[in-house]
Amino acid sequence: MLLNGTGEVIDAHEYPATTEELIETCGEHCLELPNGSETVAEVLGRLESETFESPEDARFAVYSAVSDKAVGRVGYSDRDPTPLGSPHAPEPMSF
């Protein structure tokens, strides 16, 4: 995810700050995501109103509220079982 200068705006804001204040200040900033983009207003609009005590709190809120546009492949898991016949499969166990 590319913040495209949004992080600097979040850092420059005076804290504590509410969700609404951050939307007003940096809501138009665009976040570039792997499958599209969203504005900070769209992202923070998904959250309930809260007060952020620091820039780090605000950044974590933005990171946690992005949509599935931030996910490379929705539903993908690299933890699927090893396919049958693979040389990397564990030894079969008999019970």
Side-chain angles (χ1 to χ4, degrees):
M1 169 175 24
L2 298 175
L3 293 175
N4 298 340
T6 303
E8 289 82 12
V9 174
I10 289 173
D11 290 345
H13 199 281
E14 192 170 316
Y15 291 87
T18 65
T19 306
E20 293 77 18
E21 290 171 343
L22 287 175
I23 289 173
E24 184 178 319
T25 302
C26 59
E28 295 302 316
H29 284 264
C30 187
L31 304 173
E32 295 297 327
L33 306 171
N35 296 314
S37 63
E38 294 181 318
T39 64
V40 172
E42 291 171 323
V43 172
L44 290 178
R46 295 186 186 102
L47 302 176
E48 292 183 20
S49 182
E50 65 180 290
T51 301
F52 304 105
E53 297 298 325
S54 68
E56 292 80 24
D57 292 344
R59 282 178 184 248
F60 288 136
V62 170
Y63 292 147
S64 68
V66 292
S67 70
D68 62 0
K69 291 179 182 179
V71 178
R73 289 179 10 197
V74 177
Y76 172 78
S77 172
D78 63 351
R79 307 218 188 278
D80 290 335
T82 307
L84 292 176
S86 170
H88 306 290
E91 290 294 319
M93 295 177 70
S94 177
F95 294 101

